[in-house]
Amino acid sequence: MFTQQQIDEHRERLEQVVATVHHFSAAIFILTFIGYGLAVYLWFQDQTWAGLIVATFSYLFFRQFRSLSIGLARMKLREREGFAETWQLLDEALKSERPQAVMLALETRLRAPRENEQEKP
């Protein structure tokens, strides 16, 4: 999916992308559970259908959190210099794999050299 050369060449920008994606993922996660809380509140207020609708939308929102967080990160970072090549690299990977797999592979590759460097005395 990613070669070590690609990772080394785009390391700083890829780390920014990963951090931004995690930021948006956390926000989406929090919003989802606020939605679930609202659904429970509505359910106990005898507004069963409203609670069910809010819970359903919260679930569907959560199911798309990885794709949505990548899209939001793209919107935030698209104006910055040098990110066009980085997004092309990620787009190529996203064509063949799911967003979860791409982000996992990217994080693994970004962390691997640091862990090896820290083990050396």
Side-chain angles (χ1 to χ4, degrees):
M1 188 176 309
F2 299 105
T3 65
Q4 191 61 43
Q5 180 184 359
Q6 291 171 326
I7 297 294
D8 292 340
E9 184 178 329
H10 299 279
R11 178 172 293 281
E12 288 181 27
R13 290 182 298 275
L14 287 171
E15 287 174 346
Q16 282 185 294
V17 167
V18 168
T20 305
V21 167
H22 282 303
H23 172 77
F24 283 118
S25 294
I28 290 169
F29 187 75
I30 290 168
L31 289 174
T32 298
F33 282 93
I34 289 172
Y36 285 144
L38 178 61
V40 169
Y41 174 78
L42 290 170
W43 184 278
F44 285 115
Q45 295 299 315
D46 292 327
Q47 296 180 15
T48 308
W49 282 106
L52 186 60
I53 290 168
V54 170
T56 301
F57 280 121
S58 294
Y59 172 74
L60 293 174
F61 186 63
F62 181 72
R63 290 287 298 160
Q64 296 299 317
F65 89 95
R66 187 63 71 188
S67 299
L68 185 59
S69 61
I70 290 172
L72 291 170
R74 180 187 309 268
M75 287 174 49
K76 181 178 181 180
L77 299 174
R78 72 176 166 209
E79 298 296 324
R80 295 194 183 172
E81 187 176 327
F83 275 87
E85 293 175 7
T86 304
W87 285 114
Q88 287 176 350
L89 176 68
L90 288 169
D91 287 339
E92 287 298 318
L94 288 168
K95 284 180 184 176
S96 61
E97 294 289 334
R98 295 178 60 184
Q100 293 168 249
V102 171
M103 291 306 295
L104 180 63
L106 181 59
E107 289 180 52
T108 302
R109 295 299 292 261
L110 285 172
R111 289 182 183 156
R114 285 187 182 168
E115 291 172 359
N116 292 338
E117 290 172 8
Q118 290 176 357
E119 291 176 4
K120 295 178 183 177

